[in-house]
Amino acid sequence: MTFGARLRQAMDDRGQLCVGIDPHASLLSAWGLGDDVAGLERFSRTVVEALADRVAVLKPQAAFFERFGSRGVAVLERSVAEARAAGALVVMDAKRGDIGSTMAAYSEAFLAESSPLFSDALTVSPYLGFGSLRPAVDLARKNGCGLFALALTSNPEGASVQRALAAGGRTVAQSILDQLAAENAGAAPLGSFGAVVGATLSDVDEADLAINGPLLAPGVGAQGATMADIPRVFGASARNVVPSVSRDVLKHGPSVPALREAAERFVEEIRAALPA
């Protein structure tokens, strides 16, 4: 099955929720763990144990593992493998973007079946030109994986690039969305090439989000958006949105039951927010 088909099935079965695995130093401390590899491993294994068999998507932020060097990356490898084995789809949040052979190598690190970091999908940056992502697009398609390209992010600095006008009068963000739509043409039930679109944005309706692919939506919870905002922000595309929540779930650890209860609450909130 393609990533898009697996994601559609997972969201239908488990609900439209992505939980980030973001082991900030402050979260490790709040859990009573050290800011070291042992704390990192305990944190990650607890999140996977609590949630991988019940949420649709887990999204490890690679940077929080990479900061510990090779031992941190080894923890990430185990977390990815264990999460996928338990049934969660893993979106590696690494935001890779480069050209040529370097982009190909980044793609192989996360999208090649032989890689210990093999994930269901990868976040990528298209701001060296969407065409620079071709090695990732091709490898993802070959191996049944997906991509999420940064399109309309919620950080204020992003607007200077994403809202700039490109050739033909479209915004840069819209040109990215249009190229994702082209990659998803004819895919059913859902394309594998998605966009990152912030749930906190108030003017997403100015963009055409009908890309026949998933929309990864950070910003729910600590950043101010709620699940009730999803239909208002994303309109007709709301059922393809994967709201991403990190701190507002993770703050309930290290209790496994509390982590599960927090995730289940968000799943029910998005179900209630969407029209029947």
Side-chain angles (χ1 to χ4, degrees), residues 2 11 26 49 60 93 110 135 146 148 156 180 214 223 232 246 271:
T2 65
M11 290 197 296
S26 59
E49 175 192 350
D93 195 357
F110 301 106
F148 286 95
L180 290 167
Q223 295 182 47
R232 176 185 59 78
S246 296
R271 282 181 174 150

Side-chain angles (χ1 to χ4, degrees), residues 197-253:
V197 179
T200 56
L201 298 175
S202 60
D203 55 353
V204 169
D205 57 346
E206 297 177 6
D208 182 0
L209 300 177
I211 62 171
N212 190 32
L215 302 168
L216 183 63
V220 174
Q223 295 182 47
T226 69
M227 290 301 187
D229 293 322
I230 299 298
R232 176 185 59 78
V233 173
F234 293 92
S237 298
R239 289 202 174 274
N240 294 336
V241 171
V242 188
S244 179
V245 182
S246 296
R247 281 170 286 179
D248 269 29
V249 171
L250 300 177
K251 70 183 183 182
H252 295 280

Side-chain angles (χ1 to χ4, degrees), residues 73-267:
V73 173
V75 173
L76 180 59
E77 291 172 359
R78 290 191 291 272
S79 299
V80 169
E82 291 170 3
R84 298 186 76 233
L89 298 180
V90 173
V91 174
M92 183 62 70
D93 195 357
K95 300 181 180 70
R96 296 301 196 248
D98 216 303
I99 61 172
S101 59
T102 307
M103 190 65 223
Y106 279 142
S107 305
E108 289 164 6
F110 301 106
L111 303 174
E113 292 178 310
S114 59
S115 172
L117 287 167
F118 180 59
S119 303
D120 295 282
L122 172 68
T123 60
V124 292
S125 175
Y127 293 105
L128 289 172
F130 190 87
S132 68
L133 300 179
R134 182 51 53 189
V137 171
D138 290 346
L139 189 60
R141 198 184 299 280
K142 175 184 175 183
N143 290 336
C145 300
L147 299 176
F148 286 95
L150 302 175
L152 283 164
T153 59
S154 55
N155 63 304
E157 303 88 352
S160 63
V161 174
Q162 297 160 15
R163 309 286 182 138
L165 295 182
R170 297 177 299 173
T171 64
V172 171
Q174 188 61 58
S175 72
I176 292 165
L177 292 165
D178 291 348
Q179 289 173 94
L180 290 167
E183 297 295 339
N184 290 326
L190 187 67
S192 297
F193 301 99
V196 178
V197 179
T200 56
L201 298 175
S202 60
D203 55 353
V204 169
D205 57 346
E206 297 177 6
D208 182 0
L209 300 177
I211 62 171
N212 190 32
L215 302 168
L216 183 63
V220 174
Q223 295 182 47
T226 69
M227 290 301 187
D229 293 322
I230 299 298
R232 176 185 59 78
V233 173
F234 293 92
S237 298
R239 289 202 174 274
N240 294 336
V241 171
V242 188
S244 179
V245 182
S246 296
R247 281 170 286 179
D248 269 29
V249 171
L250 300 177
K251 70 183 183 182
H252 295 280
S255 166
V256 167
L259 287 166
R260 289 174 174 169
E261 183 180 347
E264 288 164 5
R265 185 168 61 252
F266 279 111
V267 169

